[in-house]
Amino acid sequence: MSTLRFDGAEFTPPPGMKLREAHAHLPALGREMTQLSLHDCISAPECVSRVAALASRMESAREPGWLLASGVRVSGWKDQRWPFLTELDRACPNRPCLLGGFDHHSGVCNSAALAAAGLSASSSSQGDGLVVRTPEGEATGLVLEAAFEAVRRAVPEPTPEQWLRHIKAACDSLASLGFVEVHDLLSPVGLGESLAKLDDSGHLPLRVWLYPALADLGATLTLRGRFERPGAVTVAGAKLFADGTLNSRTAWMLSPYRDPMPGHERGTPLISVKQLAAAIDQTRAAGVGLAVHAIGDGAVRAVLDAAASRPAPRGSPTLRIEHCELIDATDLPRFSQLGVIASIQPCHLLPDIDVLKDQLPHRLDRVLPLRELIDSGCRPGELLWFGSDVPIVRADPSDSVAAAVLRRRPGMTPEQAVAPEQAITESEAWRCFSPTPP
Ligand SMILES: [Zn+2]
């Protein structure tokens, strides 16, 4: 359990309160916990020296395999630059090395890692991905999108024992923050059986709801008899994407970005209302819920339109919208009218403030309208849920409570807050973490 101090205010869970983390990625969290964490790094030279220190420790311990690190956020570094390929080659000369960006869409690697992925300083872009070059044409080691994925795929898969250790580490770390329930969004098909193994040996410290990708729902349900454990491991629904992300300007907006990606003035819709309605039908028929990733107000509206076309019979499994970073005023009352859950991670406001102010300055009043959601009938913990999206950001619930109450980052003045009229009280914010009643 932790306490966050923020410009004189202090955020601690109410004594004895049990918490639900409504949006997490357990396998990725577990994997990152076993990697070098660069979340608190402040410059490229510091990053390089930490990599060099770990590389030499691995050498002296004769530890095989890749050197992996995560959590790079260059925009927050003093020098605002990625380490160069040559720097990483010197720091980690004897094995492949990959440092992942916090957003899981970018990273930087050494020559051995580029080679393992079939890329090189002279390879051109890979699919829709990119090996970033210097003006002289040399690869910098920075890999984006599909090129980043190519390097990531070249990393050997964890063994079954490592995989189980990762999942246990992730669950233990969430339990240590006071969580008794966690929802895993985009669960791999094998996750349920790992969790059941932990539960059977008395090592599962919280209950887990699984949301496999809609494409994996059938395979997951076929196996459910082997791994579901009443009150501990449950297939709760399927996960689907309606849009992209704010940082990449692919979140689906009702109005254009100030500086859009060419051809994508309002972001990138990934699905139609008709397809969303079909997904509601499909999951309802299977007796499970549906969680739809929708960050932009256009994506949120599409999900609500689909929900309106498929009125929920009493007691039908839940439809939840993940993220909801912007909600248009006309759509806001529809959450409580349609019984759709707003599953929000207010902590994302803290890193997203800059891109919101830069790209959507005319829509800042529609960012995370928590006050209006509650006032329109979404009761905290019932139709308004909080989570973190860990490991994209850390899971500490105090971050989301502070963001929901203060609407700004530490060090910012109250005048720099985003839509301060949408602030909610600290006690309302904690209630959004209330576990699901049995
Ligand atoms: Zn997520």
Side-chain angles (χ1 to χ4, degrees), residues 56-129:
S56 77
R57 277 203 304 279
M58 289 174 85
E59 291 305 321
S60 27
R62 295 180 192 279
E63 203 182 310
W66 287 52
L67 188 159
L68 298 169
S70 57
V72 176
R73 189 189 288 274
V74 170
S75 60
W77 289 3
K78 280 194 288 204
D79 40 7
Q80 304 224 340
R81 72 161 178 95
W82 290 83
F84 300 128
L85 184 75
T86 47
E87 292 175 306
L88 291 178
D89 281 345
R90 271 197 301 275
C92 183
N94 298 326
R95 66 182 76 231
C97 140
L98 172 63
L99 320 182
F102 76 99
D103 63 356
H104 295 223
H105 288 266
S106 55
V108 65
C109 57
N110 66 359
S111 300
L114 276 182
L119 303 169
S120 76
S122 59
S123 57
S124 60
S125 56
Q126 159 97 4
D128 49 2

Side-chain angles (χ1 to χ4, degrees), residues 23-25 185 239 293 323 389 392:
H23 191 125
H25 302 280
L185 277 294
K239 166 102 187 265
H293 164 117
H323 311 307
D389 209 357
I392 306 278

Side-chain angles (χ1 to χ4, degrees), residues 40-234:
D40 57 349
C41 191
I42 55 162
S43 70
E46 186 202 333
C47 167
V48 171
S49 77
R50 284 162 74 167
V51 168
L54 176 58
S56 77
R57 277 203 304 279
M58 289 174 85
E59 291 305 321
S60 27
R62 295 180 192 279
E63 203 182 310
W66 287 52
L67 188 159
L68 298 169
S70 57
V72 176
R73 189 189 288 274
V74 170
S75 60
W77 289 3
K78 280 194 288 204
D79 40 7
Q80 304 224 340
R81 72 161 178 95
W82 290 83
F84 300 128
L85 184 75
T86 47
E87 292 175 306
L88 291 178
D89 281 345
R90 271 197 301 275
C92 183
N94 298 326
R95 66 182 76 231
C97 140
L98 172 63
L99 320 182
F102 76 99
D103 63 356
H104 295 223
H105 288 266
S106 55
V108 65
C109 57
N110 66 359
S111 300
L114 276 182
L119 303 169
S120 76
S122 59
S123 57
S124 60
S125 56
Q126 159 97 4
D128 49 2
L130 200 62
V131 181
V132 178
R133 255 155 249 295
T134 63
E136 291 72 45
E138 236 177 289
T140 63
L142 175 57
V143 281
L144 302 174
E145 301 295 347
F148 171 64
E149 269 309 308
V151 179
R152 200 155 63 163
R153 272 197 309 275
V155 179
E157 280 296 309
T159 64
E161 294 72 31
Q162 285 172 326
W163 164 258
L164 201 62
R165 273 206 302 278
H166 292 174
I167 303 301
K168 181 175 186 305
C171 292
D172 288 347
S173 82
L174 291 175
S176 75
L177 289 168
F179 292 110
V180 297
E181 173 179 343
V182 57
H183 298 182
D184 184 80
L185 277 294
L186 219 60
S187 316
V189 174
L191 179 57
E193 291 192 70
S194 301
L195 291 165
K197 244 183 227 167
L198 290 177
D199 189 49
D200 294 345
S201 61
H203 288 109
L204 187 63
L206 30 65
R207 61 175 174 270
V208 185
W209 285 18
L210 300 173
Y211 286 84
L214 187 61
D216 288 336
L217 180 64
T220 305
L221 290 177
T222 308
L223 297 171
R224 77 193 298 183
R226 303 218 311 240
F227 67 75
E228 277 194 321
R229 300 287 184 274
V233 185
T234 315

